[in-house]
Amino acid sequence: MNFGLLPPKDYLLTFEELRNSILVKGPIFYKTWDAKWRLTLVENLEIMVKQLWEIGIDQIYIDGSFVEDKAHPNDIDGYFECDLLDLATGDLERKLNALDPYKVWTWDSKTRKPYRGYTKKQLPMWHRYRIELYPHVGFPSGIRDEFGNDQQFPAAFRKTRDTYLPKGIVKIIK
């Protein structure tokens, strides 16, 4: 890791490779690295990604503090590429919730709920899995760059949000 970040590029990883990577197992010099928690996050991510795969979505990327040198990340953030019509009509949400026993697939801000100790309200998927996966259809993400411009997910995920340093991301592959 470079400045605690993955060097800039896309890292294509299967779940087996992710479980055995430095992102889960940690650098040997980190005494506080929470590999058990990170493994739990990966297992939760796998549940959600398999649901995306089942409906034909396979362009899935993860980011956030999970891919940085934070010993105990709060969650895993990610995005996936999908069809605008499926998203706009609600078909995407319906198909995914038909597969998920907890019906957590929604991005409606009205479904966000507080969590103790957090100022930001969280989506149902975060409360159940500690994962936030957002659909990407070519529109801005709501994440701004260092100049105040709204970015699409691919660009937003390839820089840190505070220092805007370039970084790598992980693409989940089968």
Side-chain angles (χ1 to χ4, degrees):
M1 292 198 176
N2 186 16
F3 299 104
L5 306 170
L6 288 174
K9 77 173 202 173
D10 289 9
Y11 295 85
L12 281 61
L13 298 176
T14 64
F15 277 104
E16 182 178 347
E17 291 167 333
L18 183 57
R19 277 190 277 279
N20 290 304
S21 75
I22 193 171
L23 297 173
V24 173
K25 294 189 171 190
I28 57 171
F29 54 85
Y30 269 79
K31 301 266 189 267
T32 60
W33 195 262
D34 196 345
K36 184 178 177 185
W37 170 244
R38 285 172 163 272
L39 183 58
T40 297
L41 289 174
V42 169
E43 289 167 353
N44 288 347
L45 176 67
E46 188 171 17
I47 291 167
M48 296 183 77
V49 167
K50 284 182 174 179
Q51 293 170 4
L52 289 167
W53 286 343
E54 193 163 327
I55 67 164
I57 294 173
D58 61 3
Q59 300 298 307
I60 304 159
Y61 300 84
I62 62 168
D63 182 49
S65 59
F66 181 81
V67 301
E68 298 175 8
D69 68 352
K70 187 173 183 181
H72 184 90
N74 295 323
D75 57 17
I76 293 178
D77 300 310
Y79 75 91
F80 57 91
E81 295 176 11
C82 64
D83 181 73
L84 175 59
L85 190 58
D86 282 344
L87 178 63
T89 61
D91 283 348
L92 175 68
E93 196 173 312
R94 275 191 293 284
K95 290 177 194 174
L96 289 168
N97 281 323
L99 299 171
D100 188 79
Y102 304 100
K103 313 295 184 226
V104 300
W105 290 98
T106 182
W107 301 276
D108 184 344
S109 61
K110 290 181 237 128
T111 66
R112 290 182 175 272
K113 293 190 167 88
Y115 186 77
R116 67 184 183 285
Y118 286 73
T119 54
K120 177 185 161 193
K121 291 181 178 181
Q122 304 292 346
L123 291 169
M125 67 179 73
W126 188 94
H127 284 278
R128 176 66 189 134
Y129 297 110
R130 294 296 280 263
I131 308 292
E132 285 189 311
L133 294 175
Y134 290 93
H136 175 60
V137 292
F139 293 129
S141 65
I143 301 169
R144 301 203 179 275
D145 67 12
E146 63 268 40
F147 307 107
N149 301 312
D150 206 355
Q151 303 175 89
Q152 291 187 18
F153 279 114
F157 270 36
R158 287 171 175 84
K159 287 184 179 180
T160 61
R161 291 190 193 176
D162 51 356
T163 60
Y164 306 106
L165 289 172
K167 65 176 180 173
I169 65 169
V170 173
K171 180 179 182 182
I172 303 295
I173 59 172
K174 291 182 183 180

